[in-house]
Amino acid sequence: MSHAKLNFSRIEFDQRLTKTRQEMQQREIDLLIVSDPSNMNWLTGYDGWSFYVHQCVVISTDRGLFWYGRGIDSKGAELTTDLDLNNILAYPDEYVMSPERHPMELLANILKEKGLNKKRIGLEKDNYYFSARAAESLYSSLPDAVFSDQTGLVNWQRAVKSETEITYMKR
């Protein structure tokens, strides 16, 4: 059970996820790996300051959603999202700045375990928080997936404000 105090209602977050999933379907994307901190926040409420390590929210069109990041940051995901603890997945520190292994390799293994390794996967490729090495790790670890650049997919959903967001902005 989450102890998070969300800045928006669960209904608001559900509407955001629905909008994003509809756009994913339009673009024929099964899975989206979101690495932009503002997009992760908009989708889940996640508010972490660990931009210097790999972290992401993974959203699928079949209602799947989970946060993935460094173990030490998982408590932040518990405190700022209402994700079930089973959907807060962490990697150990041995993956941080390692020349031998990359956090996206472990994410690829998680996707394989969940049967998501042969999907059409969108990436925020032109994003400050997603490195070339992250992409290379995913490509080599998930050879049966089809990848596409979906930079801006969530950003464009964020551009059209809900009534709640407009009310907050006016305040």
Side-chain angles (χ1 to χ4, degrees):
M1 171 137 158
S2 173
H3 300 289
K5 181 180 181 312
L6 300 176
N7 292 319
F8 290 92
S9 70
R10 178 73 258 158
I11 293 169
E12 178 77 16
F13 282 110
D14 287 343
Q15 290 170 346
R16 293 172 179 185
L17 293 169
T18 296
K19 280 175 54 171
T20 301
R21 287 184 172 114
Q22 287 171 345
E23 184 62 22
M24 290 168 62
Q25 289 172 333
Q26 286 279 74
R27 296 184 186 200
E28 299 181 346
I29 302 301
D30 302 309
L31 195 70
L32 183 64
I33 298 175
V34 179
S35 54
D36 184 298
S38 57
N39 291 340
M40 290 189 289
N41 179 276
W42 188 77
L43 288 168
T44 67
Y46 176 65
D47 189 13
W49 286 88
S50 299
F51 315 133
Y52 58 93
V53 292
H54 293 282
Q55 56 186 356
C56 60
V57 167
V58 179
I59 179 174
S60 67
T61 54
D62 68 359
R63 312 254 341 127
L65 177 72
F66 65 88
W67 175 89
Y68 175 75
R70 186 177 182 185
I72 197 169
D73 298 312
S74 63
K75 186 56 83 176
E78 288 179 39
L79 294 172
T80 61
T81 76
D82 69 347
L83 292 171
D84 186 277
L85 293 180
N86 293 329
N87 291 320
I88 296 174
L89 309 177
Y91 59 86
D93 276 352
E94 67 190 47
Y95 282 85
V96 178
M97 299 301 292
S98 171
E100 290 89 32
R101 63 190 62 82
H102 194 276
M104 292 298 145
E105 294 168 2
L106 186 55
L107 177 60
N109 288 336
I110 291 168
L111 295 177
K112 288 175 189 173
E113 289 170 9
K114 292 179 174 289
L116 301 171
N117 56 307
K118 297 179 182 180
K119 299 292 185 180
R120 299 169 297 184
I121 301 174
L123 304 172
E124 293 180 314
K125 289 174 65 175
D126 194 13
N127 182 303
Y128 182 81
Y129 305 97
F130 187 75
S131 69
R133 187 160 176 230
E136 290 170 357
S137 295
L138 287 169
Y139 298 158
S140 64
S141 300
L142 297 170
D144 297 323
V146 176
F147 292 95
S148 64
D149 183 7
Q150 297 299 323
T151 303
L153 186 151
V154 176
N155 300 72
W156 283 111
Q157 305 319 300
R158 289 176 41 211
V160 178
K161 302 301 180 200
S162 70
E163 288 301 318
T164 303
E165 290 169 320
I166 291 169
T167 300
Y168 279 28
M169 291 167 68
K170 286 179 179 178
R171 285 186 198 156

